[in-house]
Amino acid sequence: MKVLVVGGGGREHVLCWKIAQSKQVDKIYCAPGNAGIAEVAECVDIKPMEFDKLVAFAKENAIDLTVVGMDDPLVGGLVDEFEAAGLRVFGPRKNAAILEGSKAFSKDLMKKYNIPTAGYETFESPEDAREYLKTAKFPIVLKADGLALGKGVLICESFEDADAGVKELMEDKKFGASGNRIVIEEFMTGREVSVLSFVDGNVVKIMSSAQDHKRAKDGDQGLNTGGMGNFSPSPFYTADVDDFCQKHIFQATVDAMKAEGRPFKGVIFFGLMLTPEGPKVLEYNARFGDPEAQVVLPRLQNDIIDVFNACIDGTLDQIDLKFSDEACVTVVLASDGYPEHYEKGFKITGKENFEGKNDYFLFHAGTKFDAEGNVVTNGGRVLDVTALGKDLKEARAKAYEATEWVNFDNKYMRHDIGKAIDDAQ
Ligand code: AMP
Ligand code: GLY
């Protein structure tokens, strides 16, 4: 069969890599892909929001299955367009992807169905938001309602901070229209855990847990980013936590979406905070995490095509998801200055050091070929250096060892990815 993957980051690289392992797959295309994805798929020069072109490409090339990796096209309704054209596609429809596309929607859903999350209020005018903040408890959290590349969240220590935050989100529109409406939320404390799950409209099966490192700098300092590194499994996702989440969060969310007439098929990513009062939902995403996918999919034992098909056909109950006992760690190599200002176009050397090794992977997040055919940096997050190990300590040591194998100007990384593991042991 022929598969098309939509996206061009590290998540889509690991997706293409995993899909390539399926015996059912003869050919993979990726739109737009990147220089690393080109090793496993044919890259197609179509942007993820060019829906008509994607549909036309899938028809012309008799694509059997399309997998949408990114949030923007999902929230924009790419799956609906494919379905309308009679094409088979993995991912939630627009009316279900809103679970990620609108924080106000997801918070209201959780409130209505008693799914544990932080208390909140929604505001459509800066004046009302400021009025509310005058009597609020600090720290407090401001969130742009819409998609903002994981960066539209501000943690404010004081009224002055929050006042500036309202200006940034709602008046200066730093994250565009996503700030037309904001959610102001109670500040929670605790460890964060990411749980990705496959969902077929009715049944939800969780993948192994992971832990992101969202801030740009060591010690969780600096700005929020899309994610600077990740590890799986999370030792903090214990059997008790799992028990609670299975009872009160995972199935409850899938049932709530169904009850709202928005059945969810695809991946739900539960961003959880393990608070002193128990696990609570920080956020939902309607897709694999990036770089969560890079640490979870190398441990997935199933043929991923079988799982995608089961989600589409509503037969996920028949799939027994299996993960290897190994641990996996990803360290993101970014371009210095990310997530704000950074340069692109630096030549990348040392990629060949990863060849022929089956416990080290170099997933490309933001790379391209220059005019001479060299692989150069093409984004804030550039490479995802990934390693498997018998436990998290070993995987972490291996991933950091491998960060030295590959180089480019302005290479920047956090040095404490997975440090929480060492601290806990
Ligand atoms: P989100 O995009 O909603 O996951 O938020 C990004 C990051 O901001 C999260 O991973 C948390 O580290 C932090 N955050 C979001 N909401 C809260 C909250 N209510 N309390 C404390 N931290 C939060
Ligand atoms: N790494 C967080 C995300 O993909 O949203």
Side-chain angles (χ1 to χ4, degrees), residues 143-155:
K143 299 187 173 185
D145 177 48
L147 297 180
L149 295 170
K151 295 166 203 157
V153 174
L154 305 174
I155 294 171

Side-chain angles (χ1 to χ4, degrees), residues 148-336:
L149 295 170
K151 295 166 203 157
V153 174
L154 305 174
I155 294 171
C156 305
E157 301 293 337
S158 63
F159 178 81
E160 289 68 38
D161 271 8
D163 182 52
V166 168
K167 180 170 185 299
E168 198 174 306
L169 296 176
M170 302 190 89
E171 291 166 348
D172 299 347
K173 300 262 192 266
K174 189 162 174 204
F175 301 100
S178 76
N180 287 349
R181 185 155 52 163
I182 66 167
V183 168
I184 300 187
E185 188 174 280
E186 169 199 347
F187 178 77
M188 300 188 283
T189 54
R191 282 199 185 279
E192 285 183 45
V193 178
S194 304
V195 178
L196 311 186
S197 69
F198 289 107
V199 185
D200 74 353
N202 290 300
V203 173
V204 50
K205 295 218 168 169
I206 66 160
M207 299 178 229
S208 189
S209 60
Q211 188 169 325
D212 203 5
H213 296 66
K214 283 211 168 81
R215 300 295 195 96
K217 298 191 174 148
D218 284 11
D220 291 331
Q221 302 297 308
L223 294 171
N224 257 318
T225 70
M228 293 299 293
N230 223 292
F231 61 82
S232 172
S234 165
F236 309 108
Y237 191 78
T238 59
D240 282 351
V241 172
D242 181 61
D243 195 45
F244 180 92
C245 295
Q246 298 281 1
K247 278 202 188 99
H248 301 288
I249 296 178
F250 304 146
Q251 192 66 48
T253 301
V254 174
D255 292 346
M257 290 300 281
K258 196 176 156 193
E260 293 293 307
R262 301 168 180 274
F264 194 105
K265 290 185 175 199
V267 169
I268 299 182
F269 166 153
F270 298 88
L272 305 172
M273 179 86 96
L274 308 181
T275 77
E277 298 106 63
K280 293 188 183 179
V281 177
L282 268 173
E283 63 161 348
Y284 293 116
N285 295 311
R287 45 153 180 99
F288 288 98
D290 187 347
E292 280 78 0
Q294 288 87 315
V295 289
V296 170
L297 293 182
R299 299 183 48 229
L300 177 65
Q301 305 287 287
N302 304 66
D303 179 332
I304 200 166
I305 296 294
D306 290 341
V307 186
F308 289 151
N309 280 331
C311 290
I312 297 170
D313 296 332
T315 55
L316 192 58
D317 58 324
Q318 290 163 34
I319 297 277
D320 185 13
L321 281 186
K322 288 204 170 76
F323 288 85
S324 75
D325 293 336
E326 293 159 301
C328 194
V329 172
T330 284
V331 179
V332 172
L333 302 185
S335 204
D336 198 11

